[in-house]
Amino acid sequence: MKIIVDGMGGDEAPLHIVDGAVLAAKEFQDKNEPHQIVLTGPKEKILRRVHHCHGDALLGKYLEIVHTDEWIEMHESPVSALTKKTKSSMHLGMEMVKRGEADAFVSMGNTGAVMAVALMRLGRIEGVARPTIGAFFPSMNGRTLILDIGTNVDCKPNHLLQFALMGSVYVHAMYNIENPKVGLLSIGEEENKGDDLTVKSNELFREKKLFDFAGNVEGRDILNGTADVVICDGFVGNVVLKFGESVAGFLKSRFRSVAQKNFKYKLMMLLAKPALVGVFKDMDYQEYGGVPLLGVNGVVIIGHGSSSPKALNKAIHVAKEMVEKKINEVIREKIILS
Amino acid sequence: MKIIVDGMGGDEAPLHIVDGAVLAAKEFQDKNEPHQIVLTGPKEKILRRVHHCHGDALLGKYLEIVHTDEWIEMHESPVSALTKKTKSSMHLGMEMVKRGEADAFVSMGNTGAVMAVALMRLGRIEGVARPTIGAFFPSMNGRTLILDIGTNVDCKPNHLLQFALMGSVYVHAMYNIENPKVGLLSIGEEENKGDDLTVKSNELFREKKLFDFAGNVEGRDILNGTADVVICDGFVGNVVLKFGESVAGFLKSRFRSVAQKNFKYKLMMLLAKPALVGVFKDMDYQEYGGVPLLGVNGVVIIGHGSSSPKALNKAIHVAKEMVEKKINEVIREKIILS
């Protein structure tokens, strides 16, 4: 299998990206697995870093570099990504997947740009109205996949239905959950509670019976783990995601200010630090490596811009698994039947 | 001043409610302030509890009971609250405010019912399209008021504009903030980011210049304290509120499971417990006592159903301050001028 990694996507690119790719390539070598990582981006820069992390021996069989002069910056607009820089590390990588020269594409880059370029180069799976990106939240039972988290706003019930279908297929295949429970995010459990979109979507979900619909769930159910997949409009999903991401930082600052109050507290916090780190670890979205662009006609995994090499390595494994489990083929079949 | 307290509103009513009312009445007595708490509800039950917490001496001057046979249950629907039980402790209390026999009404009861009964009995401040309920979140700078948190879904830009105006007046008066910063919750800081509602609202906010508009804010800005007031549709607000309320419980369960891992961690957590309690204290929404129904033609404060006596006491003081500062009069003037 050949997995492309956008060598210039991410806040610390190419450093963390190359480090992560080398990590993954080494694992393939150690296990004697016939997979190859292809880094797209400025060859010189990337090679220098490969050398720096002693990855030279991997070049050729486990690691390859495809040179590009251009790359898309983290905060560039999707429109600019589409119209300018059409030879970027992102474009080139997607193009290789499109031509069948590679099996998957992984980027820690600009989410909006990845989605835009994927839509342009790879297109949608037949019948999918709007591809979607989700995020994993930690929960009492493990994790909850929230879809959509910002790619799609002003959704229609049919969009939410397709998000639910694709999310259910993904969680089933990747986490071996027999019938993933799908919840519709609303402001009351009763089916008539919510805004116009959720009331109509609830009706459609119940009518279509395409997945195990657990009914409406509320904001508290995300962390409580009431459902495996939680469906919402991308506006709501993005607000909750960003709120959730800010919780760890907020608590750390609280811990610090409590610790400063007196020496006894300071000592207690110092003593408790290793345990506290354990608590926050699960709140760290990097643990999941990356999430797929569901509905795109090709395997594309997107991760957080601030991903560590370890997170990129995980994302590469997510991509590999998604190819092996033929998740896009399953989605294609289910969408046709829906 | 006469402040009505719904004697049967709240999960632990009348117990916590009477306890809180007695607490407040004692404070009025101690400070020799000429204010009276009026508890509405079944006289026998309430008297028994007053007696239990040694409040008998307060009866007459500082504490009064107005008997009602009926009350609205915590999970009764607003429609049922309106059509049946029209002589409930809630109806009677609002009626007294309406007739000028009391200055404010405080309830820890069913939020939907309080809003419905308030709208029926007291009506709206002239020009207000939709009254709103907010919630306070803790933030790096103190607190953030989020409006709306579920009373109003499928909002129009003009609704959000009025929420912003009322929230700004409230925060200014209650927290002595000269020009409260008002943020519009969206999924990107640029004015063209968001869904149809926020893009149009951003335009309206900038055009009208009725308050200090800080532009779009994101989910992370709530805890970061970028704005004093954050405006959103009640659907989004409710999802974030319930998600936020579930964070403390989720972390407590994480702390427990980390502590169980080994004896060393257990000891660390035990040692750190007093400091951890300090961290969670600010996350406790009861600290704010209650929030006003903004836009209703009378002072109405609503608190959490699980409020402690201390929280009810705080809510009573919030009501008192809102009357003293004539907040509804200021809102009326500003709405007319808008």
Side-chain angles (χ1 to χ4, degrees), chain B residues 307-333:
Chain B
S307 287
S308 63
K310 203 181 110 199
L312 177 66
N313 183 21
K314 282 212 177 182
I316 290 168
H317 281 87
V318 169
K320 178 174 158 277
E321 206 177 331
M322 210 179 147
V323 173
E324 284 166 353
K325 290 182 169 167
K326 300 188 195 313
I327 290 179
N328 279 351
E329 279 77 350
V330 180
I331 289 176
R332 186 173 295 113
E333 282 166 27

Side-chain angles (χ1 to χ4, degrees), chain A residues 20-62:
Chain A
V22 167
L23 211 62
K26 269 188 183 151
E27 277 187 33
F28 291 148
Q29 187 187 42
D30 289 347
K31 292 182 191 161
N32 205 14
E33 288 183 18
H35 306 310
Q36 190 184 43
I37 314 283
V38 180
L39 282 158
T40 55
K43 197 158 190 171
E44 283 275 308
K45 265 192 171 185
I46 291 176
L47 261 181
R48 211 177 307 137
R49 189 70 192 176
V50 169
H51 182 70
H52 179 267
C53 50
H54 315 291
D56 306 74
L58 297 160
L59 287 165
K61 194 165 176 192
Y62 295 101

Side-chain angles (χ1 to χ4, degrees), chain B residues 225-263:
Chain B
T226 312
D228 302 297
V229 182
V230 167
I231 300 302
C232 58
D233 178 278
F235 187 90
V236 185
N238 188 274
V239 167
V240 179
L241 176 72
K242 288 190 178 153
F243 180 84
E245 285 180 339
S246 74
V247 168
F250 175 75
L251 286 172
K252 277 179 194 165
S253 106
R254 284 283 137 153
F255 280 127
R256 261 197 299 273
S257 78
V258 164
Q260 273 158 8
K261 271 184 193 156
N262 64 43
F263 181 73

Side-chain angles (χ1 to χ4, degrees), chain A residues 139-140 154 185 187 195-196 218 235 238-240 242 250-251 253-255 268 271-272 276 279 282-283, chain B residues 139-140 154 185 187 195-196 218 235 238-239 242 250-251 253-255 268 271-272 276 279 282-283:
Chain A
S139 90
M140 302 274 197
D154 295 316
L185 192 59
I187 64 169
D195 56 6
D196 190 52
E218 298 186 77
F235 188 90
N238 187 273
V239 167
V240 178
K242 289 192 179 151
F250 175 74
L251 286 172
S253 107
R254 284 284 136 153
F255 280 128
M268 283 171 183
L271 286 171
L276 293 177
V279 169
D282 273 21
M283 300 288 288
Chain B
S139 90
M140 301 274 196
D154 295 317
L185 192 58
I187 63 170
D195 56 5
D196 190 52
E218 297 187 77
F235 187 90
N238 188 274
V239 167
K242 288 190 178 153
F250 175 75
L251 286 172
S253 106
R254 284 283 137 153
F255 280 127
M268 283 171 182
L271 285 171
L276 293 177
V279 169
D282 272 21
M283 300 288 287

Side-chain angles (χ1 to χ4, degrees), chain B residues 56-318:
Chain B
D56 306 74
L58 298 161
L59 286 165
K61 194 165 177 193
Y62 295 100
L63 199 63
E64 203 188 301
I65 300 164
V66 170
H67 177 76
T68 63
D69 283 320
E70 291 180 348
W71 55 87
I72 292 158
E73 302 289 341
M74 285 307 282
H75 294 289
E76 217 161 320
S77 81
V79 175
S80 134
L82 283 182
T83 52
K84 303 167 193 172
K85 301 190 179 172
T86 51
K87 287 172 180 166
S88 75
S89 58
M90 218 179 260
H91 285 79
L92 210 81
M94 300 270 196
E95 198 57 46
M96 288 176 72
V97 174
K98 168 86 178 175
R99 288 198 301 255
E101 293 166 15
D103 303 277
F105 177 80
V106 176
S107 180
M108 302 291 136
N110 180 330
T111 307
V114 174
M115 181 56 110
V117 175
L119 278 175
M120 187 176 69
R121 299 282 178 183
L122 301 170
R124 294 168 295 174
I125 291 175
E126 201 191 329
V128 171
R130 292 190 183 183
T132 177
I133 304 179
F136 283 104
F137 280 64
S139 90
M140 301 274 196
N141 305 331
R143 84 213 73 71
T144 308
L145 175 64
I146 315 288
L147 290 164
D148 181 279
I149 52 133
T151 326
N152 297 289
V153 296
D154 295 317
C155 292
K156 301 271 183 291
N158 187 48
H159 302 143
L160 298 195
L161 182 80
Q162 292 195 337
F163 300 166
L165 182 65
M166 295 191 286
S168 167
V169 168
Y170 187 76
V171 165
H172 165 74
M174 299 293 277
Y175 295 97
N176 299 314
I177 300 172
E178 199 42 56
N179 285 306
K181 273 190 193 157
V182 177
L184 178 65
L185 192 58
S186 189
I187 63 170
E189 286 174 9
E190 303 88 339
E191 56 199 45
N192 62 341
K193 284 281 175 73
D195 56 5
D196 190 52
L197 173 65
T198 46
V199 171
K200 285 181 180 155
S201 299
N202 185 302
E203 209 182 307
L204 186 67
F205 283 22
R206 281 182 290 124
E207 181 199 317
K208 289 284 189 173
K209 294 189 179 65
L210 297 174
F211 38 78
D212 189 356
F213 181 40
N216 285 354
V217 297
E218 297 187 77
R220 68 170 69 95
D221 295 307
I222 296 172
L223 296 177
N224 290 347
T226 312
D228 302 297
V229 182
V230 167
I231 300 302
C232 58
D233 178 278
F235 187 90
V236 185
N238 188 274
V239 167
V240 179
L241 176 72
K242 288 190 178 153
F243 180 84
E245 285 180 339
S246 74
V247 168
F250 175 75
L251 286 172
K252 277 179 194 165
S253 106
R254 284 283 137 153
F255 280 127
R256 261 197 299 273
S257 78
V258 164
Q260 273 158 8
K261 271 184 193 156
N262 64 43
F263 181 73
K264 204 178 79 187
Y265 276 1
K266 192 166 196 164
L267 192 70
M268 283 171 182
M269 282 296 183
L270 271 174
L271 285 171
K273 211 177 171 188
L276 293 177
V277 167
V279 169
F280 285 119
K281 202 171 161 252
D282 272 21
M283 300 288 287
D284 181 354
Y285 299 90
Q286 296 205 12
E287 291 292 309
Y288 304 100
V291 288
L293 265 62
L294 290 171
V296 161
N297 200 12
V299 171
V300 178
I301 302 293
I302 175 97
H304 208 282
S306 63
S307 287
S308 63
K310 203 181 110 199
L312 177 66
N313 183 21
K314 282 212 177 182
I316 290 168
H317 281 87
V318 169

Side-chain angles (χ1 to χ4, degrees), chain A residues 104-163:
Chain A
F105 177 80
V106 176
S107 180
M108 302 290 137
N110 180 329
T111 307
V114 175
M115 182 56 111
V117 175
L119 278 174
M120 187 178 67
R121 297 282 177 182
L122 301 169
R124 293 168 298 173
I125 291 176
E126 200 191 330
V128 171
R130 292 192 184 181
T132 176
I133 304 179
F136 283 104
F137 279 65
S139 90
M140 302 274 197
N141 306 329
R143 86 214 69 72
T144 308
L145 175 64
I146 315 287
L147 288 166
D148 182 278
I149 52 133
T151 326
N152 298 287
V153 295
D154 295 316
C155 292
K156 301 271 182 292
N158 187 49
H159 301 144
L160 299 195
L161 183 80
Q162 291 195 339
F163 300 165

